Amino acid sequence: MTYSGAVIDVDGTVVRGNDPIPGAPAGYRRLREAGIETLFVSNNPTKAPPAYVDRLGAAGYDVDADRVVTAGSVTTRYLREHHGDDDLLCIAAPGLLDQFADAGLSTTDDVDAADALIASIDHEFDYDDLCTALWALERDIAFIGTDPDVVIPAPERDVPGSGAVINAIAGVAEREPDAVLGKPSDTAIEMVRERLPYPAEECLVVGDRLDTDIALGERAGMTTVLVRSGVTDEADLAASEIDPDHVIDHLGEIDRVVG
């Protein structure tokens, strides 16, 4: 099979923290040398695509900002399309709020005035935030999460991600989110298809997480490649109903897929 495009996850697939995963830079170069157009797609909502140019560049990956899609950019697009005139109450990191401001979205701290609650990773998340979310959702406003990642790879050990915050709010409010963006949402798939305008059968999705990376590939009809360099171990793989087309130890083994 000849491939034209590849969706590549970031954390756990090409880097852990700011360090390249062994073998991954060579695998990335192999894709580029094969003429495969690459698109990095991250479920990190805190940094806009331009921030990845320096981060990935320092780790050995040559990339332009227009070749990066993040949960922040996916969420921003969704909000502009569905809540463009709303006042958004955000439990989120400052980096996501900056992206909303740059997009002209309106945010508020007023629980009684908000039209929608946005929940995301926030290192300052605490009991007061749970109270805020509970009181806001008592008014039956929209409840939107940036991405489903409950844990995320970090340099030393995995740490809680946006999904942990979203699930905590959903638990106390006894209500599921109306939408969770990032991978593998419909909005993320739309953005991928726009950036990689090739038939689905000519595209790869490479990532370390079954329920986001591989699920996105399955939903989009693309060939899926799971790398063992991130959060998924053999027990997770055996227990999952999601079945990747290929399983490799790290991106450096991508020749096993693209030949």
Side-chain angles (χ1 to χ4, degrees), residues 119-157:
S120 183
I121 187 171
D122 181 358
H123 293 100
E124 305 301 321
F125 180 69
D126 60 15
Y127 184 83
D128 287 341
D129 289 319
L130 275 178
C131 292
T132 296
L134 174 63
W135 298 333
L137 293 177
E138 284 177 344
R139 298 175 41 243
D140 200 31
I141 63 174
F143 175 21
I144 298 156
T146 57
D147 64 278
D149 291 14
V150 176
V151 296
I152 53 178
E156 299 299 328
R157 303 177 70 171

Side-chain angles (χ1 to χ4, degrees), residues 152-177:
I152 53 178
E156 299 299 328
R157 303 177 70 171
D158 293 345
V159 296
S162 297
V165 174
I166 296 165
N167 290 347
I169 292 172
V172 74
E174 298 184 328
R175 172 183 166 185
E176 291 302 308

Side-chain angles (χ1 to χ4, degrees), residues 15 24 31-32 35 37 43 46 56 103 105 115 123 130 133 144 147 181 183 185 187 195 202 224 230 234-235 246 250:
V15 292
L31 289 170
R32 298 288 297 273
E37 186 174 356
N43 261 5
T46 66
L56 290 172
L105 295 168
D115 300 302
H123 293 100
L130 275 178
I144 298 156
D147 64 278
L181 285 310
K183 297 174 287 188
S185 70
T187 305
R195 305 288 182 92
E202 293 181 18
T224 56
E234 289 300 324
H246 304 273
H250 52 75

Side-chain angles (χ1 to χ4, degrees), residues 22-83:
Y28 175 67
R29 290 192 296 272
R30 174 69 183 92
L31 289 170
R32 298 288 297 273
E33 290 164 359
I36 297 172
E37 186 174 356
T38 56
L39 180 68
F40 286 102
V41 182
S42 170
N43 261 5
N44 183 343
T46 66
K47 294 180 174 62
Y52 280 82
V53 174
D54 292 336
R55 182 187 178 203
L56 290 172
Y61 306 95
D62 182 22
V63 59
D64 296 325
D66 65 351
R67 307 316 301 163
V68 179
V69 172
T70 71
S73 49
V74 173
T75 301
T76 298
R77 172 167 172 161
Y78 178 90
L79 292 173
R80 291 184 67 179
E81 292 178 349
H82 298 280
H83 298 276

